[in-house]
Amino acid sequence: MKPYEKFISREDVLQIHEATLRIFKESGIAFENDKIIEICKKNGLKTEGYKVFFDEETVEKARQTFPKKFELRLTADENVILGEHAMLRLPIGHPAFYCDENGVIKKMNSDLAIRQFKMNEACNATNSSLVNQAIMFDTNPTEEQMIFGAAAFRYKYSNKYHISAGEYCSGLQPEEAYHRSLQGLELLKRFKGIESGIYAQSGINSLSPLTFDEMPLYRLLAAVENGIPMAVIPCAMPLLTAPASLAGLLAQTNAETLAGMILTQLINPGNPVIYCNVSGGTDMRTLQLCIGSPETALIGYATAAMADFYDVPFRMGGVMGDAKQVDAQAGAESFMMLYATYDCKPDIALHHVGCMGAMNVYSCEKFILDEEVANYVERMLRGIDINEKKLAVEEIVKAGPRGSHIKGRTPKDYREDFYLAQLFNKDDPNNWQNSGGKTIVEVAHEEVERRLKAYTPPVLSKEQEEIIMSYLPEKLKYGI
Amino acid sequence: MKPYEKFISREDVLQIHEATLRIFKESGIAFENDKIIEICKKNGLKTEGYKVFFDEETVEKARQTFPKKFELRLTADENVILGEHAMLRLPIGHPAFYCDENGVIKKMNSDLAIRQFKMNEACNATNSSLVNQAIMFDTNPTEEQMIFGAAAFRYKYSNKYHISAGEYCSGLQPEEAYHRSLQGLELLKRFKGIESGIYAQSGINSLSPLTFDEMPLYRLLAAVENGIPMAVIPCAMPLLTAPASLAGLLAQTNAETLAGMILTQLINPGNPVIYCNVSGGTDMRTLQLCIGSPETALIGYATAAMADFYDVPFRMGGVMGDAKQVDAQAGAESFMMLYATYDCKPDIALHHVGCMGAMNVYSCEKFILDEEVANYVERMLRGIDINEKKLAVEEIVKAGPRGSHIKGRTPKDYREDFYLAQLFNKDDPNNWQNSGGKTIVEVAHEEVERRLKAYTPPVLSKEQEEIIMSYLPEKLKYGI
């Protein structure tokens, strides 16, 4: 039994797929891009303006060519298979706000984005690089730097895997994004020094309901023409951009994801795809997206289920949270989402740690505490190890009734079986309060400062430096 | 597949049982009570001093007579079946400390215990009554009042089910506890006005490793002679009172629970039993019991598994937590333990909400926020409801690409599928901060004060008042 079957059955999955086929037939999907419409027409599909109607034959043909798995070259020497629960983990990406150690929420800026970036470098819970685009604020960049500066920053300063090109296309003419995407991919390829094979993955958002707007489709085109694996990512909100029911939201967003995936096969049959869905709930009092909600966890399980049905790699999670402070809500939502994520083991977990305020707020202290929560979750999901030796009957008999089990040194069995909290408070309440009563946010903050101080940049080759340096504005060129 | 099988297999369970049989044979269990030893001898068991050695035949014979389920009379008119996941839920019981709304930890006293008590009255997440024994502090009670005052207090002031007698025997001569237990049961029976059937359940702790001390055994004797269902509750700490491994801890504590359960059958064959285990981890830096740990969740699943193997009702959970403040740790640990609890659906969940500081600290605000976490968990475990109507294909087609799903009124589907947070913050970060930035603890505190004000005592009959009034000290006699 797969973990998702606890929440959604295989029969349910089939019903969602069948609803999707009806949506393809009766509503169509809007691809607001002339080149894409041309491709669809060439493939003999029925169109009406920007609307494309996928027939069942096209759907089935595309499903035949989705790769079940593919090898991603993390570096020139290291590979990983996506489609086998690779668990590439990236931290939260581009929050517009920063919550400081006193709980004050401020606008993100370049210096705060550097703190955010450095936090990821010392983190065991993530393994891939990401930097907030806010790194470019206050740096007076040229146009080239604005577009590729954040990527170049990662390549220069991160010790983690670079799995995406991350060109910044906001404000460009839609068609320009096509060329900039090609340029961004080329930059990453050269930096990694990889001649062949898959060296990156990419993703675009759908525009719910049932639409893809012009620029993302140009980015998709550039990527897929070059065999880059593509994630198609809906972020629908029930009662606004999706129906009122969770099932309806899943039917619609599956139509969006599947449509994008089919499109990749029309452009480049056999191009790898990554199933994804980051939809959540809607709080109708505030009209806010709710991603720290039980329904988001369920959408995560549904994502794993649909990916299994289409037999493709998938992306979900990790920490999605709506809390505004590093508080009990933050902890509960982190546990919920990390549990769902580690339970399903996606190939990619974006927003893995540090997310607050529905992806809009970053906190270094939350980031640290999420690591602890991730450790709890991983320990729990390892389950109970029962074997002759661990059952320890001889030891139990030897100690006997009222006997002692105290050992001189902490035994291996204990270290294996019992997780030792790193930051969470396991002290006696009185002792703790009488010795100063440091809060866990204060403890986390000390760890934050330690890590920021300990940051060390990677050593790049002269060739690598040459490839990227022109994209870095002065302020970010000579160390952080 | 049962939920526990994700963490512990049926084969594992059998291994634990077999380890237990070896412990019975090679170590024996100490019952430090002459009456109990007499009973064991009468049943032909091998003994050495207080040590009793259960042979396999005795174990198997007892297993034949454990009731799979039994009916508990909640009131004169209302019954529930234990053994069918009854989910009787009680709040945290007797913390020695109280964490106020500012995070200051103080010694529990009578007034604070009244606040604790009233919180449970308005709580949807619990359905049974409990009061902190600290209610009796500063009340200058007589001996009778000291022993039965807390029970009488519940009967007088709680609107919830009374499922335990709860006499307070600390400081008494062990044998005296036998008579006081009988008296306590009689008091509850008379108060509930029940002539026949099972009107209460009871429990005693084992003294790990492998021991039962004198007084609890007298309490067990009194209960079981009267057919009262009995929970036997180990609370072992690895590396102190149990082996270093989780498997070893389970083998030993299963021996304790099973020994107690077998004993009930020797005294009164067919007496209902309730499988239980509230062991946790040990933090070796502070020598504290860790119950807000992933291993405690796993011990919960193992409890469900062993109860299923012996085919008896069980008690586990609910919120076990080690946090010292209402913080991210509190939230994460609450989610973890409530998830495990609702996943396994025990017959009784004690400590269901409000627990902090390894059962030593109570917080009204934590209590309230745990309710919210319980709501998240329940929603998540309901899974995804997929059916023709909810898939909403017609609605999706009607709205079409870039269409709107906004409705005049919030539809039933939305209310059914998406949980509306009561206390957790779903606001926009800027809006929230600019409009005062109330923390969730502050929001919870307002709800606490509302509930305390709204408390209304039940209306008792004249007979009921007469039964209990003499047990209440003056301070608690005339309203709270």
Side-chain angles (χ1 to χ4, degrees), chain A residues 90 129-130 151 154-155 161-166 188 199-202:
Chain A
L90 296 86
S129 71
L130 198 62
R154 276 194 289 128
Y155 305 157
Y161 300 130
H162 305 302
I163 64 170
S164 53
L188 175 58
Y199 57 91
Q201 54 81 46
S202 187

Side-chain angles (χ1 to χ4, degrees), chain A residues 237-241 281-290, chain B residues 405-411 414-415 418-420 426:
Chain A
M237 295 172 70
L239 266 184
L240 293 178
T241 59
T282 308
D283 188 293
M284 291 308 289
R285 296 163 298 192
T286 58
L287 295 185
Q288 290 289 302
L289 173 68
C290 297
Chain B
H405 286 274
I406 297 173
K407 294 277 179 301
R409 299 183 60 170
T410 307
Y414 181 82
R415 292 197 312 270
F418 291 90
Y419 171 67
L420 185 74
K426 301 288 169 178

Side-chain angles (χ1 to χ4, degrees), chain A residues 421-446:
Chain A
Q422 303 298 304
L423 295 150
F424 281 179
N425 185 335
K426 301 288 169 178
D427 207 348
D428 168 80
N430 254 335
N431 273 354
W432 170 73
Q433 185 162 268
N434 294 338
S435 59
K438 222 179 261 176
T439 67
I440 56 166
V441 172
E442 286 165 351
V443 173
H445 182 63
E446 290 174 1

Side-chain angles (χ1 to χ4, degrees), chain A residues 20-159:
Chain A
T20 292
L21 295 181
R22 277 188 60 198
I23 294 166
F24 282 170
K25 190 176 165 195
E26 297 173 29
S27 158
I29 303 289
F31 292 110
E32 299 178 342
N33 181 306
D34 294 331
K35 290 227 165 174
I36 297 298
I37 292 300
E38 207 176 296
I39 290 166
C40 291
K41 281 184 175 162
K42 249 189 215 156
N43 278 273
L45 295 176
K46 179 183 153 194
T47 61
E48 275 177 31
Y50 283 130
K51 273 200 244 176
V52 175
F53 298 82
F54 293 118
D55 53 77
E56 273 197 62
E57 199 192 320
T58 303
V59 174
E60 285 312 307
K61 200 176 151 203
R63 287 181 65 186
Q64 302 294 324
T65 56
F66 293 153
K68 290 176 196 306
K69 54 182 82 173
F70 63 90
E71 190 177 64
L72 177 65
R73 302 192 62 183
L74 298 170
T75 67
D77 310 316
E78 239 180 306
N79 303 333
V80 69
I81 306 288
L82 274 77
E84 293 180 350
H85 303 283
M87 281 294 268
L88 290 171
R89 282 154 286 137
L90 296 86
I92 177 72
H94 308 284
F97 299 99
Y98 181 98
C99 176
D100 74 13
E101 65 272 23
N102 301 312
V104 178
I105 295 175
K106 36 184 101 161
K107 238 181 121 25
M108 186 62 82
N109 63 34
S110 183
D111 290 342
L112 294 173
I114 288 176
R115 286 175 72 89
Q116 179 188 344
F117 172 80
K118 285 184 179 172
M119 287 306 298
N120 187 44
E121 290 302 297
C123 175
N124 288 327
T126 66
N127 52 21
S128 302
S129 71
L130 198 62
V131 70
N132 197 321
Q133 181 63 29
I135 201 82
M136 300 304 295
F137 295 176
D138 338 309
T139 61
N140 196 23
T142 63
E143 193 190 335
E144 293 293 301
Q145 289 171 346
M146 192 64 199
I147 298 170
F148 300 111
F153 182 94
R154 276 194 289 128
Y155 305 157
K156 178 152 176 67
Y157 294 112
S158 176
N159 297 280

Side-chain angles (χ1 to χ4, degrees), chain B residues 9 38 46 66 72 89 113 129 147 158 182 214 218 226 279 293 297 307 310 320 346 379 390 402 412 414 416 421 443:
Chain B
S9 71
E38 207 177 295
K46 179 183 153 196
F66 293 153
L72 177 66
R89 283 154 286 138
S129 71
I147 298 170
S158 176
L182 290 179
E214 192 175 11
Y218 274 120
N226 286 278
S279 303
S293 64
Y310 296 124
M320 299 292 202
R379 168 63 195 102
K390 289 233 174 181
R402 279 193 185 259
K412 188 161 159 275
Y414 181 82
E416 282 172 4
V443 173

Side-chain angles (χ1 to χ4, degrees), chain A residues 1 3 6-8 12 15-16 19 22-23 26-28 30 32 51 97 103-105 207 209-211 213 238-248 250-252 280-286 288 290 292 294-295 297-298 301-302 322 324-325 327-329 331-333 335-336 339 343 361 373 376 379-381 383-388 390-391 393-397 400-407 411 413-414 417-421 424-430 432-433 440, chain B residues 3 6-8 12 15-16 19 22-23 26-28 30 32 51 97 103-105 207 209-211 213 238-248 250-252 280-286 288 290 292 294-295 297-298 301-302 322 324-325 327-329 331-333 335-336 339 343 361 373 376 379-381 383-388 390-397 400-407 411 413-414 417-421 424-430 432-433 440:
Chain A
M1 192 175 132
K6 188 177 186 81
F7 304 98
I8 181 169
D12 291 340
Q15 279 196 64
I16 291 172
R22 277 188 60 198
I23 294 166
E26 297 173 29
S27 158
E32 299 178 342
K51 273 200 244 176
F97 299 99
V104 178
I105 295 175
L207 181 69
L210 304 176
T211 304
D213 49 349
L239 266 184
L240 293 178
T241 59
S245 63
L246 186 49
L250 290 171
Q252 178 194 299
T282 308
D283 188 293
M284 291 308 289
R285 296 163 298 192
T286 58
Q288 290 289 302
C290 297
E295 297 80 21
L298 293 172
Y301 281 103
D322 299 325
K324 305 298 168 304
Q325 302 278 286
D327 56 16
Q329 176 183 355
E333 293 178 351
F335 192 97
M336 175 173 67
Y339 184 90
D343 198 20
V361 184
V373 175
Y376 266 46
R379 168 63 195 102
M380 184 169 161
L381 284 168
I384 305 176
D385 188 11
I386 304 279
N387 60 52
E388 185 71 23
K390 290 233 174 183
L391 283 164
V393 172
E394 277 168 41
E395 194 185 325
I396 293 167
V397 170
R402 278 192 186 259
S404 165
H405 286 273
I406 297 172
K407 295 276 180 300
D413 280 341
Y414 181 82
D417 284 2
F418 291 91
Y419 171 67
L420 185 74
F424 281 179
N425 185 335
K426 301 288 169 178
D427 207 348
D428 168 80
N430 254 335
W432 170 73
Q433 185 162 268
I440 56 166
Chain B
K6 187 178 186 80
F7 304 98
I8 182 170
D12 291 340
Q15 279 196 64
I16 291 172
R22 278 188 59 199
I23 295 165
E26 298 174 28
S27 157
E32 300 178 341
K51 273 200 245 177
F97 299 99
V104 178
I105 295 175
L207 181 69
L210 305 176
T211 304
D213 49 348
L239 266 184
L240 293 178
T241 59
S245 63
L246 186 49
L250 289 171
Q252 177 193 300
T282 308
D283 188 293
M284 291 308 289
R285 296 163 298 193
T286 58
Q288 291 288 303
C290 298
E295 298 80 21
L298 293 172
Y301 281 103
D322 300 325
K324 305 298 168 304
Q325 301 278 286
D327 56 16
Q329 176 183 356
E333 293 178 352
F335 192 97
M336 176 173 66
Y339 184 90
D343 197 20
V361 184
V373 175
Y376 266 46
R379 168 63 195 102
M380 184 169 161
L381 284 168
I384 305 176
D385 188 11
I386 304 280
N387 59 52
E388 185 71 24
K390 289 233 174 181
L391 283 164
V393 173
E394 277 169 40
E395 195 185 323
I396 293 167
V397 170
R402 279 193 185 259
S404 165
H405 286 274
I406 297 173
K407 294 277 179 301
D413 279 340
Y414 181 82
D417 283 2
F418 291 90
Y419 171 67
L420 185 74
F424 281 178
N425 185 334
K426 301 288 169 178
D427 206 347
D428 168 79
N430 255 335
W432 169 73
Q433 185 163 268
I440 56 167

